[in-house]
Structures are given as structure tokens and as C-alpha cells.
Amino acid sequence: MKAREFLSEKDKADVVAAIKEAELGTSGEIRIHLDEKCGGDPMKRAVEVFRYLKMDRTELHNGVLIYVACQSKVFAIVGDSGINNAVPQDFWHDVSQKMHDMFSEGHFAEGLAAAARMAGEKLKEYFPYSKDDVNELPDEISFGKN
């Protein structure tokens, strides 16, 4: 299955709405990227995508990438240094577990939306919205070319 076909149009819209909702009270940035395959370590690929999407260039280093390789059935979550230094050590594991549980039941859009909301809650806690905040990165789902 192609990455662009992994989610229905309604599911894509629901996931983007969850990203927008998660970012409402924070200066943090959340992106979701879907690849078809991951030929190696998903965390390594997620870090490559993180940099490719320029998520490492946010002012407060508070970007979060949720990466999924649809055909390979793997995912990874990458947080930039600002958020990684702030959240509890097991936080990303908890988000991953939530995604895994929902994915196991075939609820892919719901799993992505839940992960975005969980990341958003922590971002709000450590990086609250300020009146001069700008949305530094697009909220749309990005797709790999493989």
C-alpha cells in the first residue's frame, strides 16, 4: 500500500485536526510523516526525516515527529532537544505504547491522533503558547517518496 493511501481522506483530515488541536496551547510543533517502507532502523530514518522537514530548526527546539513506515509496519517518535530535555524519561515509550495498542486493533488514524494529542499535552506543559507565537511548520501529513 502506498503511504498516501494508508489513511482515507477523512482519516487524514481527522489526524490534521488532531495536530492543530494539540498545537493550540503551545509553541511546539508536531508533524506526522508516512513512508511506505523503512529498510533499516526506523529511529534512524525518523531522524533523517526530522532533519529533512527542518524540524530541528524551530526556535525552541520543541518539534515532535511521528514517523510511520506503512508497509514495513514500524514507527518511531523523535523529539527535538528542547522537548526531550523536559519530558519524563519514559514519556515517548508511553506514547509509542498507545500507538502500538491502537495500531494492533487496526485504528491507525486514531493512534496517530492520540499520539499527537499526548505530545501536545506535554508541549503545552513545558512550552506554553505565547501571544507572539507563529506556526513554524505546516500541520499537514507529509509523505515519503519511496
Side-chain angles (χ1 to χ4, degrees), residues 36-111:
E36 290 170 23
K37 296 179 184 176
C38 178
D41 177 19
M43 183 58 79
K44 183 177 178 183
R45 174 66 179 139
V47 169
E48 290 171 359
V49 171
F50 190 89
R51 290 184 182 128
Y52 174 77
L53 296 174
K54 298 180 174 60
M55 295 188 71
D56 56 340
R57 298 182 189 173
T58 61
E59 183 178 351
L60 299 175
H61 298 284
N62 57 359
V64 175
L65 174 67
I66 301 166
Y67 168 82
V68 178
C70 307
Q71 289 181 16
S72 301
K73 298 182 181 179
V74 295
F75 65 86
I77 303 170
V78 176
D80 206 345
S81 60
I83 187 67
N84 281 345
N85 291 334
V87 297
Q89 188 172 2
D90 60 348
F91 177 70
W92 297 124
H93 172 75
D94 294 346
V95 176
S96 293
Q97 189 61 53
K98 180 70 168 178
M99 284 178 61
H100 176 270
D101 293 348
M102 296 187 91
F103 283 11
S104 294
E105 297 173 5
H107 302 294
F108 301 108
E110 295 88 344

